[in-house]
Amino acid sequence: MTEKTPAGRRGLLRGAAVAATATAVLATPSVSRAQTTTLRFQSTWPQRDIFHEFAQDYVERVNRMAGGRLRLELLAAGAVVGAFQVLDAVNAGTLDGGHGVAAYWFGKNKAFSLFGTTPPWFGDANQLLGWFYHGGGEALYRELLHDILRVNAVGFLSGPMPTQPFGWFKQPIERPEQIRGLKYRTVGLAADLMAEMGAAVVSLPGGEIVPALERGVIDGAEFNNPSSDRVLGFPDVAKNYMIQSYHQRVESFEILFNRTKFDALPAELQAIIRHGAEAASADMSWKLQDRYSRDLLEMSQRQGVNVRPLPRPVLDAQLRAWDTVIARLEGDNSSPANGPFFKKVCDSQRDWCRRIGNFFLRYEASPVVSYNHFFARQG
């Protein structure tokens, strides 16, 4: 009896180990291990633009987190379709996804620009993303995509952009009167704004702007930021860079996927696509601090660019023009998809901005005072 006891104990221990292993297996979440799904994902940006790099940053995050189950194949603008055709291509399934800005679909419904380049009631683009994800904006975006336009796509906003420069000109812009008759490139609601101010507006994709400015097809143009503007060649064709404008106070990227393809993915891969947009958004907001500041200094100190803030009379004229544009678009009652929906989105944004803007203006100490204290006296 005593000789059998150790063996009996070993048997009990082996049985307990088997039971524990079985329990661990049963407790492991069910994870899809199917073969790799590859999705063609085109940006709306030239290969050399930092915006395409931001698209690459998003793609790399998704691919790494997906662990071989999903692979996004990034293509530059024009690889399959032109920049302004990406939404149509995603809708049709010609592309599986895309990286751009909602303002590019402004021609389909002007409310698209409210999810990209909005009126300047947001304090910064991070507040725009706050409204989208926590203030009801995402539900309104889905209503526009799915209910109003019947677009077979899903999308996420990502990447808060700083205030965009008014742009590049042969002569400095010092008075509102100089805008009248100006042939000017912009997109989204800024096109209506500039037309209200008397400009002749031309909308061009990023890669076509500098050649048009060089040939005199346009008199002035904005794209987005110092890094993009420098690599696209703006300093070679114009030397006056007007910054601090209300025409595009805030903007963020839009990440699109074909809805049928997205819905067919396992839940964990859908989550990676969504949360990858959040991760890339944070990283972009950090990276641009380094890159944009360096490139602005490079242009002003080594390329002979005259960097000037837009004068207050032009800023005031922009705000007055915004009032007119917003009232006109909210009052367009040609269909429920136009003025009524536009106003619905504007009302939601105004409610958010009134509360959030008030909080930050009251709550935050002025960065101007502290910056001047520590750095301005040093020259």
Side-chain angles (χ1 to χ4, degrees):
M1 184 71 178
T2 55
E3 293 178 357
K4 293 180 181 180
T5 300
R9 287 175 180 170
R10 285 194 295 271
L12 288 172
L13 291 172
R14 281 197 300 270
V18 170
T21 301
T23 301
V25 170
L26 289 174
T28 301
S30 177
V31 178
S32 172
R33 295 296 176 189
Q35 64 182 12
T36 301
T37 298
T38 300
L39 301 179
R40 290 203 302 174
F41 186 83
Q42 184 188 300
S43 85
T44 58
W45 319 115
Q47 182 86 37
R48 64 190 186 279
D49 186 6
I50 193 173
F51 279 7
H52 189 72
E53 183 180 329
F54 291 148
Q56 181 69 57
D57 292 339
Y58 168 70
V59 164
E60 288 178 353
R61 278 166 173 73
V62 169
N63 290 348
R64 286 199 300 267
M65 289 189 290
R69 290 166 289 154
L70 174 67
R71 179 177 177 271
L72 303 186
E73 177 189 357
L74 179 63
L75 306 166
V80 178
V81 296
F84 288 171
Q85 285 76 53
V86 166
L87 178 61
D88 289 336
V90 171
N91 174 60
T94 308
L95 287 170
D96 300 314
H99 184 281
V101 290
Y104 276 4
W105 328 131
F106 178 72
K108 298 180 183 298
N109 188 296
K110 294 196 175 186
F112 261 121
S113 194
L114 295 172
F115 301 94
T117 57
T118 76
W121 38 47
F122 287 97
D124 59 33
N126 203 43
Q127 293 178 21
L128 168 65
L129 292 175
W131 167 78
F132 186 80
Y133 287 108
H134 295 281
E138 188 172 14
L140 291 167
Y141 175 77
R142 286 197 300 265
E143 182 179 349
L144 176 61
L145 274 181
H146 301 158
D147 301 337
I148 293 176
L149 295 177
R150 308 288 183 183
V151 176
N152 186 32
V154 296
F156 313 98
L157 297 192
S158 174
M161 302 180 195
T163 296
Q164 296 182 36
F166 192 53
W168 296 86
F169 304 89
K170 299 296 176 64
Q171 300 296 326
I173 300 298
E174 298 173 336
R175 305 178 310 280
E177 294 77 21
Q178 291 176 265
I179 295 172
R180 188 160 300 280
L182 192 76
K183 292 178 290 185
Y184 179 79
R185 182 272 176 192
T186 191
V187 296
L189 282 174
D192 278 28
L193 176 79
M194 294 302 295
E196 177 63 29
M197 297 182 73
V201 178
V202 179
S203 292
L204 297 169
E208 298 178 20
I209 305 171
V210 170
L213 188 59
E214 186 174 26
R215 296 194 310 268
V217 175
I218 53 179
D219 304 315
E222 58 81 33
F223 182 62
N224 188 275
N225 65 83
S227 297
S228 293
D229 290 355
R230 184 171 176 233
V231 77
L232 292 175
F234 280 96
D236 298 329
V237 299
K239 292 299 183 184
N240 292 287
Y241 194 31
M242 307 301 299
I243 61 174
Q244 298 182 16
S245 175
Y246 285 132
H247 79 292
Q248 290 181 313
R249 176 70 177 86
V250 303
E251 189 171 17
S252 69
F253 289 123
E254 176 190 50
I255 293 171
L256 290 167
F257 285 91
N258 176 274
R259 189 179 185 183
T260 303
K261 290 286 184 70
F262 181 84
D263 288 347
L265 293 173
E268 70 270 14
L269 295 185
Q270 292 181 7
I272 286 172
I273 283 174
R274 180 184 180 90
H275 299 314
E278 297 169 355
S281 184
D283 183 67
M284 174 193 145
S285 72
W286 307 326
K287 178 186 282 190
L288 68 81
Q289 295 174 37
D290 177 48
R291 299 282 287 279
Y292 290 7
S293 61
R294 289 179 185 273
D295 283 318
L296 186 63
L297 288 175
E298 187 71 21
M299 289 190 296
S300 63
Q301 295 178 355
R302 293 182 175 81
Q303 293 184 273
V305 172
N306 179 27
V307 181
R308 299 180 58 175
L310 205 57
R312 178 62 183 266
V314 183
L315 293 171
D316 289 341
Q318 286 181 330
L319 292 176
R320 290 193 298 270
W322 269 119
D323 289 339
T324 302
V325 168
I326 294 165
R328 181 169 63 244
L329 294 177
E330 287 185 329
D332 178 4
N333 293 315
S334 58
S335 80
N338 293 329
F341 181 75
F342 191 93
K343 186 176 186 305
K344 181 179 179 181
V345 179
C346 284
D347 285 343
S348 175
Q349 290 186 344
R350 279 186 291 246
D351 287 345
W352 177 264
C353 292
R354 188 176 292 111
R355 175 165 57 88
I356 302 307
N358 176 270
F359 171 78
F360 283 107
L361 288 174
R362 293 178 64 194
Y363 199 76
E364 295 286 337
S366 170
V368 176
V369 174
S370 57
Y371 183 91
N372 286 340
H373 173 81
F374 288 110
F375 304 115
R377 63 187 178 187
Q378 299 176 11

